[in-house]
């Protein structure tokens, strides 16, 4: 089969590799569409922390935002999966430890991660092996583009849940990229007054085109009482700023990751009686994201700037915007 492989920092190829065979407890998914995110870019540049702490290494097969159709099942798997449109969890816990048994499989010490951790192959390939326990069916009302946006949507939904918003609450979202805008969409669906802090004029104009008129940069951000601040950026100074901005006794949520340590003064958290929530993955939010997409409560498709073939993935990772791309922050790869 064809698979996109990162062989070294900034060196890639579409290679012929052995097609996977379904092992006991697994299915094979014929991948239709996969998304490219900031984590994938960090693998491409060689900056991703897992490359430096031994959890990943080259050659690397990326892709953890995906959807497709089940084409084969292994021993012990319900055969009715064959032919169904699916997506799935990225985080694959061992299913035996205490963390997995109480619903924290996404922080299992022994987990693998699709397209990210410990050699688990990713979805920028024609076929993808996935454990049955990680599968989620997609209804017909969730098209391929939405299906490949379930994983980032699950992260965003968990972030909004972590903020414990009530209708009418004023929330400030730091970052106007894919996760930040999805957070804004899910927060709006909860009835919150949503504000977005971004950097470039293009990203702020795009946020406004999605109906988020309260889109600001550092110079224009108004002084308001923020009931929650959700940091979906990769800027190292913003986690501390989130604590500075949020109302005392309220909540900050951290879903973005900076490339360098982002320092927060714990004294400020204590003295303001702030609750700080970390969000690692979409696990626990995937089903809710599918439901929100299926019902029309949230439509993430405007975020996709373009969908390109597998042989153009390297250009997207390098920061190129193919001709005819829209203004959205997300790029999809069409596998078939």
């Amino acid at each position: 089969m064809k698979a996109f492989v990162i062989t070294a920092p900034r060196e890639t190829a579409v290679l012929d590799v052995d097609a996977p065979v379904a092992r006991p407890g697994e299915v094979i998914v014929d991948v239709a569409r996969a998304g490219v995110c900031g984590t994938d870019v960090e693998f491409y540049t060689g900056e991703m922390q897992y490359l430096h702490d031994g959890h990943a290494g080259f050659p690397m097969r990326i892709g953890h935002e995906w959807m497709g159709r089940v084409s084969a099942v292994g021993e012990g798997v319900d055969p009715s999966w064959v032919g169904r449109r699916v997506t799935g969890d990225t985080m694959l816990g061992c299913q035996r430890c205490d963390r997995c048994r109480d619903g924290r499989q996404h922080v299992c010490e022994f987990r693998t991660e699709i397209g990210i951790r410990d050699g688990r192959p990713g979805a920028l390939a024609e076929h993808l092996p996935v454990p049955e326990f990680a599968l989620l069916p997609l209804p017909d009302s969730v098209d391929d583009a939405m299906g490949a946006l379930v994983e980032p949507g699950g992260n965003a939904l968990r972030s909004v849940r972590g903020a414990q918003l009530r209708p009418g609450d004023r929330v400030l979202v730091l970052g106007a990229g894919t996760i930040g805008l999805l957070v804004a969409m899910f927060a709006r669906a909860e009835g919150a007054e949503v504000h977005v802090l971004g950097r470039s004029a293009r990203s702020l104009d795009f946020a406004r085109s999605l109906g988020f008129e309260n889109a600001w940069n550092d110079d224009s951000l108004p002084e308001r009482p923020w009931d929650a601040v959700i940091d979906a950026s990769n800027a190292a100074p913003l986690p501390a700023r989130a604590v500075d901005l949020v109302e005392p006794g309220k909540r900050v949520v951290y879903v973005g990751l900076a490339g360098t340590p982002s320092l927060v003064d714990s004294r400020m958290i204590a003295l303001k009686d702030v609750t700080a929530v970390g969000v690692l993955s979409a696990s626990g939010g995937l089903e809710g994201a599918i439901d929100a997409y299926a019902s029309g409560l949230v439509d993430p498709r405007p975020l996709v700037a373009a969908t390109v073939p597998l042989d153009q993935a390297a250009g997207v990772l390098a920061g190129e915007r193919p001709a005819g791309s829209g203004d959205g922050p997300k790029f999809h790869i069409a596998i078939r």
Side-chain angles (χ1 to χ4, degrees):
M1 69 171 183
K2 300 292 185 183
F4 180 83
V5 183
I6 303 175
T7 55
R10 300 184 186 277
E11 295 182 10
T12 69
V14 177
L15 301 178
D16 287 311
V17 303
D18 291 338
V21 176
R23 298 182 296 182
E26 280 189 345
V27 309
I28 301 302
V29 175
D30 292 350
V31 181
R33 188 178 290 216
V36 173
C37 85
T39 298
D40 299 317
V41 173
E42 288 185 356
F43 278 121
Y44 171 75
T45 62
E47 297 170 307
M48 208 285 178
Q49 187 60 38
Y50 279 0
L51 293 168
H52 305 286
D53 61 19
H55 288 305
F58 298 118
M60 183 87 197
R61 284 170 50 188
I62 60 171
H64 59 277
E65 304 175 2
W66 57 271
M67 63 76 54
R69 193 177 297 272
V70 176
S71 60
V73 299
E75 181 184 348
V77 176
D78 183 350
S80 69
W81 280 111
V82 174
R84 300 181 73 180
R85 296 174 64 252
V86 296
T87 186
D89 202 341
T90 298
M91 318 297 272
L92 308 178
C94 71
Q95 305 300 295
R96 297 183 299 274
C97 69
D98 288 343
R99 295 179 191 175
C100 286
R101 284 197 294 264
D102 77 359
R104 293 179 293 140
Q105 63 94 27
H106 60 294
V107 290
C108 169
E109 180 182 357
F110 311 105
R111 74 184 182 274
T112 59
E113 301 176 22
I114 290 175
I116 295 177
R117 180 177 168 124
D118 289 343
R120 173 69 70 164
L124 293 192
E126 292 179 309
H127 309 289
L128 178 71
V130 184
E132 182 183 24
F133 69 78
L135 287 179
L136 292 161
L138 293 174
D140 291 340
S141 54
V142 174
D143 66 15
D144 289 2
M146 287 191 273
L149 284 160
V150 168
E151 196 278 341
N155 278 279
L157 177 56
R158 287 194 62 218
S159 301
V160 171
R161 288 173 176 169
Q164 293 189 357
L165 297 173
R166 300 166 299 183
D169 278 355
R170 182 181 292 116
V171 58
L172 177 63
V173 181
L174 307 182
T178 297
I179 297 296
L181 292 173
L182 283 167
V183 166
M185 289 177 175
F186 279 101
R188 178 169 61 189
E190 293 290 322
E193 177 189 319
V194 180
H195 295 248
V196 177
L197 179 69
R199 287 184 292 188
S200 71
R202 186 179 72 180
S203 68
L204 294 175
D205 285 343
F206 182 69
R208 294 185 188 105
S209 77
L210 299 176
F212 299 108
E213 291 300 325
N214 296 313
W216 318 100
N217 60 26
D218 281 330
D219 295 330
S220 63
L221 181 69
E223 291 188 14
R224 302 276 174 82
W226 307 108
D227 296 301
V229 179
I230 301 176
D231 179 17
S233 77
N234 60 3
L238 287 186
R241 192 172 181 198
V243 177
D244 289 338
L245 288 168
V246 75
E247 277 287 281
K250 298 292 187 173
R251 301 172 78 87
V252 295
V253 178
Y254 298 114
V255 64
L257 291 174
T260 57
S262 28
L263 305 180
V264 178
D265 188 343
S266 62
R267 297 171 299 178
M268 185 67 71
I269 293 175
L271 291 170
K272 291 185 71 172
D273 200 26
V274 166
T275 298
V277 178
V279 174
L280 172 63
S281 77
S283 301
L286 296 166
E287 293 91 341
I290 292 171
D291 290 344
Y293 294 173
S295 69
L297 189 66
V298 171
D299 183 357
R301 290 172 294 185
L303 301 181
V304 181
T307 301
V308 301
L310 193 61
D311 60 7
Q312 292 185 29
V316 169
L317 289 165
E320 297 173 9
R321 296 186 71 87
S325 297
D327 292 328
K330 175 63 65 178
F331 288 89
H332 276 174
I333 310 299
I335 310 299
R336 62 185 68 248

